[in-house]
């Protein structure tokens, strides 16, 4: 069997891709279960070393995998995507607000899921065939927005761009600015929320919650742009981590749920007086390095319901766009603690050095006196 082992040299377009995603891209007939089993039993090797499905590959590495499994006649053929109607293709193209050789940016409307799932047949991923244009391959999603969240969504047009953006997002260097209308007004105009988030038990992973003991680190920044008395506030949000429903969970956790977010704010998340019951969370701007140099910096227009709510409350969109974009995330609690520990360690060392210096001087005098007495 060893002479049937397959070897692949990782191309530059796949630099930084995860092992499991490499299979999805190049050998999509191989299931994740099979990939996980091969990795667990050491049958997948990269430059001779064992790897896990989540490990990342580098260009030039040699990937060794087991022989192809025989095709079973009882296995159903993979489902093909249904052809898009002209209306669907037009709808998809109308979402495009930026286009270059490597990337697209879409202005996703509220109510449209990013990817398919149980009972979800209409989604951005299903519309990407209409956005291939002159490129050789189908565009690829590189991040997601919640179904009811609108705004800027980045899509890669090549495998190289997808790998590049994957590194950018995992390294947290992409800047994403959201606008939200929240219930009430935060007592602090500019704050950082540093609360761990985990899946809420009993919800099947459909809902998240703050979990100080078991949650994954999650940090968000909010800044109040305008306020409508004590009734509501228009805020700018920047996520410094990428947890599921992070902004929604964090704002609800500090007592100011996003307007229209009944999932996390309950009945209190809805305002009267003609304010829409739809979610008021919009990915206003995305700024990310470009694979060919320079950067992509795109602003997405508000959906109708959000724009009408701002106008009804007397807010001017220009005020939000005047907020400066942060260049770096503020330090997390863990980073602050680590810096404090390092500082305390330095102080202790300096004090020990001072004591040794004082003790050494006294010892020399005592020894000298002893020798004189002998």
């Amino acid at each position: 069997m060893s002479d049937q082992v397959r070897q692949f040299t990782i191309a530059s377009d796949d630099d930084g891709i995860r092992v499991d995603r490499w299979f999805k891209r190049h050998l999509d007939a191989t299931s994740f279960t099979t990939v996980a089993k091969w990795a667990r039993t050491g049958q997948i090797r990269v430059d001779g070393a064992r790897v896990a499905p989540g490990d990342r590959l580098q260009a030039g590495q040699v990937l060794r995998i087991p022989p192809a499994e025989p095709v079973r006649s009882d296995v159903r053929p993979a489902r093909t995507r249904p052809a898009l109607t002209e209306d669907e293709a037009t709808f998809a193209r109308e979402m495009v607000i930026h286009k270059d050789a490597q990337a697209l940016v879409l202005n996703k409307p509220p109510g449209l899921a990013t990817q398919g799932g149980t009972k979800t047949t209409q989604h951005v991923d299903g519309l990407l065939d209409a956005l291939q244009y002159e490129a050789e391959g189908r565009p690829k999603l590189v991040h997601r927005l919640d179904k009811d969240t609108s705004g800027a969504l980045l899509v890669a047009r090549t495998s190289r761009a997808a790998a590049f953006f994957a590194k950018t997002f995992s390294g947290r260097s992409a800047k994403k600015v959201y606008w939200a209308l929240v219930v009430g007004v935060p007592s602090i105009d500019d704050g950082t929320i540093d609360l761990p988030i985990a899946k809420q038990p009993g919800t099947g992973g459909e809902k998240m919650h703050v979990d100080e003991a078991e949650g994954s680190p999650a940090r968000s920044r909010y800044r109040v742009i305008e306020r409508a008395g004590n009734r509501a506030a228009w805020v700018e949000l920047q996520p410094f981590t990428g947890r599921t429903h992070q902004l929604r969970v964090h704002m609800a956790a500090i007592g100011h749920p996003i307007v229209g977010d009944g999932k996390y704010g309950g009945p209190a998340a809805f305002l009267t007086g003609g304010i829409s019951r739809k979610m008021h969370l919009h990915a206003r701007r995305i700024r990310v390095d470009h694979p060919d140099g320079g950067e992509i910096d795109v602003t997405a227009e508000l959906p109708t319901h959000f724009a009408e709510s701002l106008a009804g409350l007397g807010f001017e969109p220009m005020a939000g766009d005047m907020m400066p974009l942060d260049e770096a995330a503020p330090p997390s609690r863990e980073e602050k603690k680590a810096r404090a520990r390092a500082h305390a360690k330095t102080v202790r060392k300096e004090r020990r050095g001072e004591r040794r210096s004082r003790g050494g001087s006294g010892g020399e005098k005592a020894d000298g006196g002893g020798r004189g007495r002998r």
Side-chain angles (χ1 to χ4, degrees):
M1 295 288 286
S2 61
D3 59 339
Q4 299 179 26
V5 168
R6 293 172 288 173
Q7 292 190 349
F8 300 86
T9 300
I10 304 305
S12 59
D13 282 358
D14 293 325
D15 185 49
I17 195 173
R18 286 166 45 125
V19 171
D20 53 354
R21 301 218 173 140
W22 183 93
F23 277 91
K24 183 72 174 174
R25 181 178 295 176
H26 298 285
L27 299 172
D28 59 358
T30 307
S31 69
F32 177 80
T33 301
T34 299
V35 173
K37 182 183 74 173
W38 284 349
R40 188 173 61 252
T41 56
Q43 296 182 76
I44 297 179
R45 301 270 175 162
V46 174
D47 289 346
R50 296 174 67 140
V51 291
D55 290 344
R56 295 192 180 274
L57 300 169
Q58 295 179 7
Q61 290 181 323
V62 176
L63 173 68
R64 192 198 75 180
I65 64 175
E69 296 182 334
V71 178
R72 292 170 47 190
S73 59
D74 60 335
V75 175
R76 293 179 181 178
R79 278 193 309 177
T80 57
R81 289 185 298 273
L84 298 176
T85 65
E86 189 57 40
D87 286 345
E88 288 174 326
T90 300
F91 172 68
R93 292 177 189 130
E94 287 175 346
M95 287 193 291
V96 177
I97 55 176
H98 169 85
K99 173 177 174 283
D100 64 49
Q102 299 294 338
L104 303 169
V105 178
L106 314 181
N107 188 359
K108 187 188 83 65
L112 179 66
T114 303
Q115 290 180 294
T118 305
K119 299 180 181 179
T120 302
T121 57
Q122 298 295 318
H123 46 82
V124 174
D125 192 38
L127 297 171
L128 293 181
D129 285 328
L131 304 180
Q132 184 170 331
Y133 298 107
E134 74 287 351
E136 292 183 2
R138 188 174 188 267
K140 302 167 180 61
L141 294 170
V142 292
H143 69 122
R144 296 186 301 171
L145 293 176
D146 293 345
K147 180 178 179 180
D148 294 321
T149 301
S150 56
L153 181 70
L154 180 70
V155 180
R157 299 191 68 197
T158 66
S159 296
R160 179 171 71 87
F164 178 88
F165 291 135
K167 278 186 175 181
T168 301
F169 278 93
S170 64
R172 309 298 178 200
S173 60
K175 304 296 181 184
K176 293 179 284 186
V177 173
Y178 291 75
W179 283 358
L181 193 62
V182 301
V183 177
V185 180
S187 57
I188 300 173
D189 284 345
D190 186 338
T192 298
I193 306 169
D194 195 345
L195 293 171
I197 293 175
K199 292 180 180 178
Q200 184 168 309
T203 65
E206 294 296 319
K207 191 173 182 181
M208 312 298 286
H209 72 143
V210 171
D211 187 339
E212 296 274 7
E214 303 293 335
S216 299
R219 285 183 296 147
S220 307
R221 183 182 184 183
Y222 72 86
R223 292 191 284 182
V224 175
I225 302 170
E226 296 278 3
R227 62 189 69 208
N230 294 322
R231 183 185 180 207
W234 172 24
V235 298
E236 176 200 271
L237 302 172
Q238 292 187 46
F240 295 131
T241 50
R243 309 302 173 199
T244 301
H245 299 172
Q246 176 177 314
L247 298 176
R248 298 165 62 185
V249 174
H250 274 174
M251 294 311 295
I254 64 170
H256 300 286
I258 294 170
V259 172
D261 188 8
K263 185 168 194 169
Y264 291 104
F270 301 96
L271 297 178
T272 57
I275 300 299
S276 172
R277 293 178 63 85
K278 291 182 180 180
M279 177 98 76
H280 287 69
L281 180 61
H282 178 73
R284 176 63 170 177
R285 180 181 177 187
I286 186 166
R287 193 182 76 182
V288 61
D289 290 339
H290 193 283
D292 295 336
E295 63 183 24
I296 297 169
D297 191 346
V298 180
T299 298
E301 291 301 316
L302 289 168
T304 302
H305 77 277
F306 201 146
E308 290 176 347
S309 294
L310 291 186
L313 293 169
F315 298 151
E316 289 288 342
M318 186 181 297
D321 289 326
M322 291 174 66
M323 302 288 280
L325 185 64
D326 283 348
E327 293 300 324
S332 66
R333 288 183 297 178
E334 291 76 12
E335 290 168 339
K336 288 179 180 178
K337 289 178 181 177
R339 291 178 186 177
R341 287 194 297 267
H343 176 69
K345 186 176 181 181
T346 301
V347 170
R348 288 195 299 270
K349 282 184 177 180
E350 290 175 350
R351 288 176 178 171
R352 283 199 298 269
E354 290 174 2
R355 286 198 296 270
R356 281 197 295 269
S357 176
R358 290 196 297 269
S361 300
E364 288 174 6
K365 290 180 181 178
D367 287 345
R371 283 194 292 272
R373 285 193 293 272
R374 284 196 300 269

